Amino acid sequence: NKGPQTYWILSNPEFLAEGTAMKDLAAPDRVLIGGPTSPDGLAAANVLVDIYANWVPRDRILTTNLWSSELSKLVANAMLAQRVSSVNSISQLCEKTGADVAEVSRAIGRDSRIGPKFLGASVGFGGSCFQKDILNLVYICESEGLNEVAQYWQQVVDMNEHQK
């Protein structure tokens, strides 16, 4: 024992997709590191930045405060799930009107502001991450008194249940 030690808690959420986890680890879109904004906290985050910089370009390593890091993970999954629920709601409208949801998805996916990913109609999103992260986001919103925001994100889960 060399006396008292100082420890810092950092947030380093993973952004791994099912089926591509190894590729996502080797060549991530981004690495997110959140930590305290004090000089010591920033220094601790930079130690982790230096480790990732051995294989991840520095411009893909983002540093934020703890809450921004944690919320970024929840919001990324919530927005992907929102796309799934959105196209599934449109698939029901397509069935009623005679439109082909695959053609609608292809057409809107060509819009550079939207892009083609997560626009396939399906039985909804599965797995554990999307729903867990959205419900966590709902809980945080409710805890902060943001009831309308919580209801908005709850509706994404509700739409997914309706699609099943």
Side-chain angles (χ1 to χ4, degrees), residues 29-130:
D29 290 336
R30 80 286 201 192
V31 170
L32 186 56
I33 301 168
T37 56
S38 66
D40 286 345
L42 295 172
N46 281 327
V47 169
L48 194 50
V49 167
D50 289 340
I51 292 169
Y52 275 109
N54 286 299
W55 77 93
V56 178
R58 284 193 182 263
D59 64 336
R60 291 188 183 178
I61 303 171
L62 308 173
T63 57
T64 68
N65 68 43
L66 281 170
W67 268 110
S68 294
S69 177
E70 290 297 308
L71 285 178
S72 293
K73 168 65 175 174
L74 299 179
V75 172
N77 279 344
M79 293 188 81
L80 292 173
Q82 178 188 44
R83 287 176 69 103
V84 172
S85 288
S86 293
V87 77
N88 283 335
S89 71
I90 295 305
S91 73
Q92 293 177 34
L93 181 59
C94 288
E95 286 179 19
K96 294 287 187 182
T97 63
D100 182 332
V101 68
E103 291 176 357
V104 172
S105 293
R106 183 173 49 113
I108 65 172
R110 293 286 175 99
D111 185 321
S112 63
R113 298 166 298 168
I114 297 170
K117 294 185 178 177
F118 287 84
L119 289 179
S122 66
V123 294
F125 52 83
S128 62
C129 289
F130 284 180

Side-chain angles (χ1 to χ4, degrees), residues 5-34:
Q5 300 291 315
T6 302
Y7 299 92
W8 293 100
I9 296 174
L10 300 175
S11 169
N12 181 215
E14 50 82 14
F15 295 95
L16 307 177
E18 238 178 88
T20 60
M22 295 308 292
K23 179 182 96 40
D24 295 341
L25 284 171
D29 290 336
R30 80 286 201 192
V31 170
L32 186 56
I33 301 168

